[in-house]
Amino acid sequence: MLCKKKIMPCFIHRSIRNSLCVALRYHTPHLLTSDIRAPGICQIHSLFFKVPISNLLVPMADAEPMLVPAPGGEKRACPALEEEDHSTKRPRVQKDEKNGGPSHKLPQDEGDEPEGEETEPLEEDGEGEGLGSGEAFAEMMKHGLTELDVGILKFVSEHKGFSGILKERYSDFVVHEINKEGKTVRLDDLSVPEEAEEAPVEQPDQPESQVFTEEQKQQLEQLQLFKNKEGNVSIEVADDTKEKRTLVHKAVKTLYPGLETKTEEREGKKFIVAYHAAGQKALAAPRKHSWPKSRGAFCHFVLYKENKDTMEAINVLSKFLRMRPNVFSYMGTKDKRAITVQEIAVLKITAERLSHLNKCLNNFKLGNFCYKKHPLKLGELQGNHFTVVIRNITGTEEQVQQAMSSLRETGFINYYGMQRFGTTAVPTHQVGKAILQDNWNEVIDLILKPRPGAEKGYLVKCREEWAQSQDPEAALKKLPVKRCVEGQLLRGLSMYGKKNIITAFAMIPRNNRLMYIHSYQSFMWNTMVSRRIEAFGLKAVEGDLVLRGGTAFVLSAAEAETHSIQDVVMPLPGFDVIYPTHHVGKGYREMLSADNLDIDNMRHRVRDYSLAGAYRRILIKPSDVSWEVINYEDPRVSLVHTDVEKLEDQPPPVFNKEGKYRALRMEFSLPPSTYATMAIREVLKMDTSIKNQTQLNTTWLN
């Protein structure tokens, strides 16, 4: 029997509430929420439990000390992880970016996120005021977007839809990258290749692992894991030669990533002191050691991660290795709320050093190491393979069969997914429209003005201050987190003044700025494709566009007879594209004109905001489609056998055919720049917006 317990936050100190929130999330299997990773959806102010919450809370005198694990993969106390440093790469207009996210933190990604550029992660505070409960988040979502708001209107299949919960657990969404050779990337080998064990020429007789005694190894390992209360480890090298001391320095840094060394003299004796690197020192260029000429300069490896997006993962790895993030390369960004597996390359870091990270990082695993002469390039992958679990489905066996058969044989409309447009009352495409209109006061207003719905307390205060005073410095003081979009913009306004808004706006990282205008393009594309499907259905017609060798051509009536809807593309508006010649194509001009934009002049006075445009297929047909309906008893149990579980020889999940819960587990592969949520939408025929999913979860819990 479900019972609802509500703990009023005013009776519990905030620090205790925060600790209790984390403890409940990680240590209470009784929690029965959808576990959507959004602000406030899973907090203590209002939670549903199978047992009374009083059973979970014990008096202080009776409570045993409990260590609360840090969420997200890295060690909570690691000073090297407290300051973030991010790299920015120039985007390509034809490629896709990440979108979603609370406040005006630019949209978050999904595992099916288009590959081709990454955004610079902006800081977000952990537990803020004002989003203290599931009700508060649900209240915010009342003002959020639905699919209708962003032009997602049509389906291609005729089966009757059914409901289900997507990503109830992050392990319900598993993504494996498909590399440029067409091979699905999997983590199946943690060993270090033999060539990585080659000893440098300077020390041919003594491997690094034999430099330390067993006691010293134990002390260094405890120091690396922040279990050493002294904060350092001293190794006496009084009688050693300079060559031996050099070997000790190198061995510490190679075998225990995250540690730095220095030589000290005490009472006439020399010691090498190992300690944790932190701050700017952690980002300093690493000391150069010999690198065999026969070995490729780049170590390629498979990164398995849980509940972290790709840029977050890269930053964690770079801190532990004392490298800048830009020494890493990859083919595409992957979802945060998922288990994802992808290939990464790093410049002149040995497989041995990388493999040692497996000892000190949670929710990460590195393996399948090899050396190559080249890095990876964004967009050179062939796609992604998805394993998706949709829980608590209501569809019959026949409905599921019809839905999945249609997905396999017909496909789905290639809409841009909801995360492309943000989750708040101010959609990102509205900001993009204001940028293209050169209406900079509107841009500032949309980002900084107060908005309906619940928000973090400091953001509410910041917006109120801006609305009342229009003073960027005063508003900035209300923000404890300065690296959110609002903070970056206010800092720019403080530095350059309100008469130099374009320069101030440029304080926001370039890729994040471009996502606003790309969001507007996506909104246009979704809307026009819905009109195209409404007008002509699922067949090629005269006036449609197709690509031949990368160039778009208009179909004649005769040519339309020889093409299918799978060949048809629609343009994202820009100065370097052509438009369909039928009446739907003319709708582009009408829609842009209604927004005070000129279809014949899509160049902006700021070069970055000039839109070249691109083409995108209307319909996508997944490959490697398979599915099964699963009955299960325990909603806490994962329904997917992960790569790490296979490596550890853990048995696959066992399903109870008489279980009271039903789930649809599906697998399929998609090309780059397509959204898996849009494929799932076609199966369920259900709105995939967070607003709708929140309502669905609330209904299910009640």
Side-chain angles (χ1 to χ4, degrees):
M1 175 179 178
L2 287 175
C3 80
K4 179 179 179 181
K5 284 287 179 180
K6 190 168 187 177
I7 301 179
M8 297 305 294
C10 55
F11 298 127
I12 305 176
H13 190 274
R14 183 183 175 189
S15 62
I16 299 175
R17 293 204 316 270
N18 292 351
S19 299
L20 189 53
C21 284
V22 177
L24 286 170
R25 290 172 189 164
Y26 284 90
H27 294 280
T28 52
H30 318 286
L31 187 61
L32 263 187
T33 82
S34 65
D35 200 23
I36 294 176
R37 277 287 182 260
I41 196 66
C42 191
Q43 296 186 11
I44 190 170
H45 302 228
S46 182
L47 295 172
F48 291 87
F49 295 91
K50 282 183 177 177
V51 298
I53 194 168
S54 57
N55 293 3
L56 307 176
L57 304 178
V58 294
M60 276 291 185
D62 302 331
E64 293 183 9
M66 178 178 64
L67 291 176
V68 180
E74 74 271 23
K75 302 296 181 184
R76 167 81 69 179
C78 182
L81 302 180
E82 291 176 358
E83 297 183 13
E84 294 293 330
D85 181 56
H86 308 286
S87 61
T88 303
K89 298 186 181 179
R90 296 184 64 85
R92 295 188 288 264
V93 175
Q94 293 84 350
K95 296 294 181 180
D96 210 349
E97 317 76 24
K98 296 188 287 186
N99 257 342
S103 88
H104 246 285
K105 181 176 184 289
L106 278 174
Q108 288 297 321
D109 51 31
E110 185 182 320
D112 47 339
E113 208 47 48
E115 326 294 347
E117 64 180 84
E118 77 277 12
T119 56
E120 182 169 333
L122 300 177
E123 274 186 29
E124 182 181 2
D125 192 28
E127 187 135 3
E129 302 171 16
L131 277 181
S133 67
E135 284 98 334
F137 181 72
E139 175 64 25
M140 183 178 75
M141 285 300 99
K142 288 181 181 178
H143 304 278
L145 296 174
T146 66
E147 290 184 347
L148 298 178
D149 297 324
V150 296
I152 301 174
L153 308 175
K154 297 295 178 181
F155 297 96
V156 297
S157 55
E158 297 179 355
H159 72 274
K160 183 180 178 182
F162 52 93
S163 68
I165 298 178
L166 176 62
K167 294 190 181 183
E168 182 175 345
R169 303 169 60 89
Y170 68 74
S171 58
D172 289 346
F173 202 86
V174 181
V175 187
H176 287 85
E177 195 170 67
I178 302 173
N179 64 21
K180 60 183 178 180
E181 288 82 28
K183 180 182 178 183
T184 300
V185 175
R186 298 190 183 277
L187 181 73
D188 52 21
D189 183 7
L190 299 181
S191 64
V192 175
E194 288 185 10
E195 58 179 331
E197 305 281 1
E198 290 180 10
V201 179
E202 299 87 69
Q203 293 88 20
D205 4 342
Q206 192 171 22
E208 291 166 347
S209 58
Q210 297 178 15
V211 171
F212 308 114
T213 65
E214 289 302 319
E215 182 182 3
Q216 289 170 341
K217 289 179 183 178
Q218 186 176 1
Q219 291 174 341
L220 288 166
E221 186 171 330
Q222 288 178 340
L223 177 64
Q224 184 188 33
L225 299 178
F226 298 95
K227 296 178 181 178
N228 184 312
K229 295 182 180 179
E230 301 296 325
N232 61 66
V233 172
S234 298
I235 301 170
E236 185 177 352
V237 288
D239 301 323
D240 290 344
T241 63
K242 182 178 180 180
E243 289 74 17
K244 288 186 178 180
R245 292 199 302 272
T246 300
L247 183 60
V248 173
H249 282 289
K250 183 183 174 185
V252 169
K253 294 167 188 167
T254 301
L255 299 177
Y256 304 96
L259 299 186
E260 187 57 86
T261 58
K262 60 184 177 182
T263 302
E264 289 184 358
E265 192 164 326
R266 304 172 187 168
E267 300 177 356
K269 296 181 180 180
K270 286 189 176 180
F271 293 86
I272 290 178
V273 180
Y275 60 96
H276 264 285
Q280 292 301 313
K281 192 171 183 69
L283 293 173
R287 300 178 184 179
K288 294 181 180 177
H289 302 299
S290 60
W291 189 268
K293 294 181 180 179
S294 59
R295 178 194 294 165
F298 296 89
C299 183
H300 288 234
F301 62 94
V302 171
L303 172 65
Y304 169 102
K305 62 182 181 65
E306 298 182 359
N307 212 28
K308 279 277 186 184
D309 70 38
T310 301
M311 283 306 298
E312 283 181 285
I314 292 297
N315 279 293
V316 169
L317 297 180
S318 67
K319 301 302 183 186
F320 271 88
L321 294 168
R322 307 187 310 281
M323 307 290 288
R324 293 189 178 276
N326 59 7
V327 301
F328 293 88
S329 58
Y330 44 89
M331 295 182 285
T333 56
K334 296 292 178 284
D335 192 14
K336 175 176 182 175
R337 179 117 180 107
I339 293 174
T340 70
V341 184
Q342 68 183 116
E343 187 175 349
I344 305 286
V346 60
L347 176 64
K348 289 191 175 180
I349 295 291
T350 66
E352 187 175 18
R353 282 188 71 188
L354 292 168
S355 69
H356 278 287
L357 295 177
N358 288 331
K359 299 177 181 178
C360 55
L361 292 178
N362 296 325
N363 296 349
F364 289 106
K365 267 294 191 271
L366 286 65
N368 295 81
F369 304 102
C370 65
Y371 294 97
K372 297 182 181 180
K373 296 180 180 179
H374 54 81
L376 295 169
K377 294 180 181 178
L378 280 166
E380 67 180 0
L381 76 171
Q382 286 196 18
N384 294 291
H385 182 77
F386 298 89
T387 304
V388 179
V389 174
I390 301 172
R391 296 181 184 246
N392 302 319
I393 60 169
T394 60
T396 64
E397 292 284 347
E398 184 180 1
Q399 283 177 286
V400 172
Q401 178 72 22
Q402 291 174 348
M404 294 305 300
S405 296
S406 175
L407 181 68
R408 181 178 58 194
E409 293 158 16
T410 306
F412 62 96
I413 302 172
N414 194 19
Y415 285 125
Y416 287 98
M418 290 303 300
Q419 68 270 36
R420 183 79 161 176
F421 305 99
T423 58
T424 67
V426 180
T428 53
H429 67 273
Q430 287 186 10
V431 182
K433 178 174 70 174
I435 294 172
L436 295 173
Q437 291 170 338
D438 221 11
N439 187 350
W440 292 98
N441 287 321
E442 176 75 1
V443 171
I444 300 303
D445 189 46
L446 286 170
I447 295 176
L448 295 180
K449 70 179 181 181
R451 57 190 59 178
E455 259 195 321
K456 291 186 176 181
Y458 61 79
L459 276 171
V460 173
K461 293 174 184 175
C462 171
R463 297 188 195 285
E464 288 174 350
E465 178 63 41
W466 173 257
Q468 292 168 10
S469 68
Q470 296 287 297
D471 182 346
E473 291 187 7
L476 192 59
K477 288 178 181 177
K478 303 291 184 181
L479 286 178
V481 178
K482 303 293 193 289
R483 293 187 66 186
C484 58
V485 167
E486 292 86 352
Q488 298 278 31
L489 178 55
L490 288 169
R491 192 157 62 93
L493 291 170
S494 298
M495 293 172 63
Y496 302 108
K498 288 183 281 187
K499 292 185 179 180
N500 295 297
I501 294 179
I502 295 178
T503 307
F505 185 69
M507 292 295 291
I508 299 171
R510 181 176 183 271
N511 284 0
N512 297 92
R513 285 181 277 125
L514 292 178
M515 290 185 63
Y516 286 121
I517 58 174
H518 292 162
S519 177
Y520 179 74
Q521 283 183 303
S522 304
F523 170 70
M524 284 282 298
W525 193 92
N526 281 358
T527 303
M528 299 313 299
V529 164
S530 291
R531 293 186 188 180
R532 162 64 182 76
I533 298 294
E534 173 71 26
F536 303 116
L538 300 180
K539 62 178 182 178
V541 298
E542 182 180 3
D544 275 337
L545 302 181
V546 296
L547 292 178
R548 296 173 190 160
T551 303
F553 291 88
V554 179
L555 290 179
S556 66
E559 289 172 327
E561 295 295 327
T562 62
H563 287 79
S564 73
I565 190 67
Q566 304 283 349
D567 304 316
V568 178
V569 298
M570 290 281 280
L572 284 84
F575 60 77
D576 199 26
V577 295
I578 63 173
Y579 298 89
T581 56
H582 45 58
H583 69 85
V584 174
K586 295 174 183 176
Y588 278 92
R589 183 178 297 275
E590 297 167 3
M591 193 170 173
L592 286 167
S593 296
D595 289 339
N596 296 316
L597 296 172
D598 183 359
I599 196 171
D600 299 315
N601 183 19
M602 298 300 288
R603 295 185 186 273
H604 198 280
R605 66 187 175 110
V606 180
R607 185 178 177 184
D608 273 354
Y609 310 138
S610 294
L611 296 179
Y615 300 99
R616 182 174 175 89
R617 294 192 182 278
I618 290 180
L619 223 63
I620 291 291
K621 189 159 69 169
S623 58
D624 309 315
V625 179
S626 63
W627 67 91
E628 64 176 321
V629 175
I630 297 166
N631 287 76
Y632 61 100
E633 192 66 34
D634 189 346
R636 299 167 299 175
V637 173
S638 173
L639 304 180
V640 178
H641 201 201
T642 66
D643 288 3
V644 167
E645 289 170 342
K646 293 174 184 176
L647 273 171
E648 295 172 349
D649 292 323
Q650 295 184 29
V654 178
F655 308 118
N656 181 356
K657 294 183 178 179
E658 304 300 321
K660 57 184 175 182
Y661 302 110
R662 293 172 70 239
L664 169 60
R665 187 172 68 181
M666 62 174 81
E667 293 194 40
F668 52 87
S669 298
L670 293 176
S673 301
T674 52
Y675 288 74
T677 46
M678 293 296 99
I680 296 164
R681 168 186 180 270
E682 187 68 40
V683 170
L684 299 178
K685 290 201 171 178
M686 185 179 70
D687 189 327
T688 58
S689 65
I690 296 180
K691 179 177 181 177
N692 184 63
Q693 286 286 308
T694 303
Q695 293 169 349
L696 181 67
N697 280 297
T698 303
T699 302
W700 180 74
L701 285 172
N702 290 336

